[in-house]
Amino acid sequence: MSLFITSLNSGSNGNCYYIGNSQEAVLIDAGISCRETEKRMARLGLSMTKVKAVFISHEHSDHIRGVTVLAKKHQLPVYITQSTLAGGNLALQRVMPFLAYQPVQVGGLTVTAFPKHHDAVEPHSFMVSGNQVNIGIFTDIGAPCEHVLSHFRQCHAAFLEANYDEQMLEQGRYPYYLKNRIRGGKGHLSNRQALEIFTQYRPSFMTHLLLSHLSQDNNNPHLVQQLFDQHANGTQIIVASRHAETAVFRIEATSFAENAATAPL
């Protein structure tokens, strides 16, 4: 009773997350090219034939850049709200609208969307469930809200945004308006905010945390790893890269999940 997860890429240059069981899988966002998505999945031993749908969180380019080609080539339905579809100016063949808190069934997987704070037209986070396992995808969040916190409490594993270090952002080269956009409540989560979510709302059965969407200019992977490792308390902490895929992690319904495993082809 398990699910397999990986980050194919995570950052302002593109976001794409894979969650699947032994029969089918979904992609959350498609912000890297179709070719790169295929290449990274192949390196991990994952088959595109298992991917049955793509879910889009919002219309920013780092979440939709590859979806048109990917969906057309592999004949995939794209679950996306009508406002996000219009905001992204996307030409998709198989559009499947979704609504917050109305679960979508994809084979043995259930995908539930819920609202979040971000400067997009109709942004959503997701929880993917199957085999008694819950996987949360919590990125591009300006501030933690009850939607996010209530779902985080249910997760056996989660992709959680840790976008910026507050001091690095303040002292960095970004113009003032951009700094305020990032930290202003509808931008991104800081390391401190992410750590507070983790330490205060982590369930006892959470085995893996993939820290996601790190800023290239305003964060440091080693800094984030050290910060969260101090509070891991048995949860494996992985910093998702903006340049490469992570390993495939097997998430079990118990607290004794294996650290990592290659998903079956």
Side-chain angles (χ1 to χ4, degrees), residues 189-243:
L189 286 181
S190 70
N191 296 344
R192 178 185 58 80
Q193 289 173 306
L195 184 63
E196 286 177 0
I197 293 174
F198 179 59
T199 56
Q200 294 180 25
Y201 298 96
R202 169 189 51 189
S204 60
F205 49 82
M206 179 176 281
T207 58
H208 295 71
L209 184 73
L210 284 80
L211 297 169
S212 306
H213 215 307
L214 273 68
S215 169
Q216 185 170 20
D217 296 308
N218 302 307
N219 216 341
N220 182 296
H222 301 293
L223 171 70
V224 177
Q225 186 80 56
Q226 291 176 352
L227 176 64
F228 277 78
D229 278 347
Q230 296 173 32
H231 303 274
N233 196 27
T235 299
Q236 184 174 352
I237 308 296
I238 304 100
V239 177
S241 173
R242 58 185 291 115
H243 304 296

Side-chain angles (χ1 to χ4, degrees), residues 64-78:
I64 64 171
R65 190 176 293 118
V67 69
T68 302
V69 174
L70 184 73
K72 182 177 181 180
K73 179 176 179 180
H74 295 281
Q75 293 298 293
L76 296 173
V78 178

